[in-house]
Amino acid sequence: MTTDYAHFLTSLVVDLVAITVLTYALYYRRHQRRDLTLGFMGVNVGLFAVSSFTATSTISIGFGIGLFALLSVIRLRSTTASQEEIGYYFVALVIGLVNGLATEDQWAVAITLNVVLLGVMFVADNPRVLSHAERHMVVLKGVPRPLGSLRADLEDRLGFEVTRLRVLEIDYSRKRTSVDVRINTARPVARRADRKVARRADHEVERPADHEVERPADHEVERPADHEVDAHAGARAVTPPEELAP
């Protein structure tokens, strides 16, 4: 009994260390969702307790697989979870199951599996891995557009290259279209409004400004001088007197 109890304590410590690293060092640090940290910890410790208590040579494998499937169905049917949360949830289940069912002669395999699971989650959920790939659910209002022009319309709205799109719903009565869009943020696309602004700016640069148009100055316009006008007027006013007849 002493050896079995020491083995149980060792298994519990290994399980707690592994699930703490998974929950707080990996998941919470990257996703900042506190409610799921409690779910991961509770599911892992609960599965470890049940599997270690009933771990025997006759029912350990079948019981572990059945309990794993049951908890998975209950969890996935309760709330809608994202793919990242489902991945962390399954790893938390596997860590509790592996540590709870591990025997004394399987400790090397159990510790190796713990390290491998944590390492895979660290690399797969690293923000630097595929950081430019994003997924968005876009709902377009208005009259549904032709499917051939949908990619160009989404690129004009989002500002990035659309690598893949899938039309989820076309509702003609409500005039909306739901699209699952995958974009690459490393490849920006010029929007239609930006292109118009750029063309307008180029047109204004090519057109000469008003003050650059050459116009003759007022002093360059040939006008008769004032004294010339007076001379002509005087000439027309003074006429020689006619000689009177005798």
Side-chain angles (χ1 to χ4, degrees):
M1 295 296 295
T2 304
T3 304
D4 294 339
Y5 188 69
H7 170 69
F8 167 74
L9 290 179
T10 305
S11 302
L12 179 60
V13 170
V14 173
D15 182 72
L16 290 177
V17 171
I19 191 61
T20 301
V21 172
L22 177 70
T23 303
Y24 294 100
L26 296 181
Y27 177 78
Y28 184 77
R29 185 178 179 181
R30 294 174 178 176
H31 299 277
Q32 300 292 321
R33 186 171 175 180
R34 183 179 179 276
D35 56 339
L36 280 183
T37 60
L38 178 60
F40 295 152
M41 295 292 293
V43 168
N44 174 268
V45 175
L47 183 59
F48 170 82
V50 176
S51 59
S52 61
F53 183 76
T54 59
T56 62
S57 59
T58 56
I59 65 171
S60 59
I61 298 178
F63 175 79
I65 295 176
L67 185 60
F68 178 83
L70 179 62
L71 293 175
S72 301
V73 172
I74 293 175
R75 177 67 180 91
L76 295 179
R77 287 177 61 89
S78 60
T79 58
T80 302
S82 64
Q83 299 301 319
E84 295 87 354
E85 295 166 356
I86 293 175
Y88 277 98
Y89 177 71
F90 275 107
V91 171
L93 288 175
V94 172
I95 289 176
L97 188 62
V98 168
N99 294 323
L101 297 178
T103 58
E104 295 182 4
D105 56 346
Q106 295 176 340
W107 265 117
V109 178
I111 294 177
T112 302
L113 289 176
N114 282 276
V115 174
V116 169
L117 290 171
L118 295 176
V120 168
M121 296 303 294
F122 174 79
V123 175
D125 194 35
N126 196 305
R128 297 181 181 179
V129 177
L130 302 177
S131 59
H132 301 299
E134 293 185 6
R135 178 193 178 192
H136 299 277
M137 304 296 294
V138 180
V139 178
L140 301 175
K141 294 184 178 181
V143 179
R145 298 163 179 77
L147 298 180
S149 62
L150 191 58
R151 180 184 296 271
D153 187 19
L154 290 172
E155 289 182 347
D156 181 67
R157 292 173 180 269
L158 299 177
F160 296 100
E161 179 185 1
V162 176
T163 58
R164 183 181 178 184
L165 62 89
R166 185 165 65 96
V167 179
L168 303 177
E169 180 184 10
I170 299 179
D171 194 339
Y172 285 94
S173 61
R174 298 181 180 179
K175 295 182 179 180
R176 68 179 186 181
T177 306
S178 301
V179 188
D180 182 5
V181 185
R182 316 293 171 85
I183 63 174
N184 186 356
T185 56
R187 298 178 180 178
V189 177
R191 296 185 177 183
R192 192 178 308 166
D194 298 337
R195 292 195 296 268
K196 290 182 179 179
V197 172
R199 287 197 299 267
R200 187 180 303 172
D202 295 340
H203 180 69
E204 291 179 356
V205 171
E206 293 176 358
R207 187 178 61 186
D210 295 337
H211 65 275
E212 295 180 358
V213 178
E214 295 182 357
R215 295 179 180 179
D218 295 338
H219 64 276
E220 295 180 358
V221 178
E222 296 181 358
R223 294 179 180 179
D226 295 338
H227 62 279
E228 296 180 358
V229 174
D230 295 341
H232 289 291
R236 288 195 300 268
V238 179
T239 55
E242 296 179 357
E243 295 182 357
L244 296 176

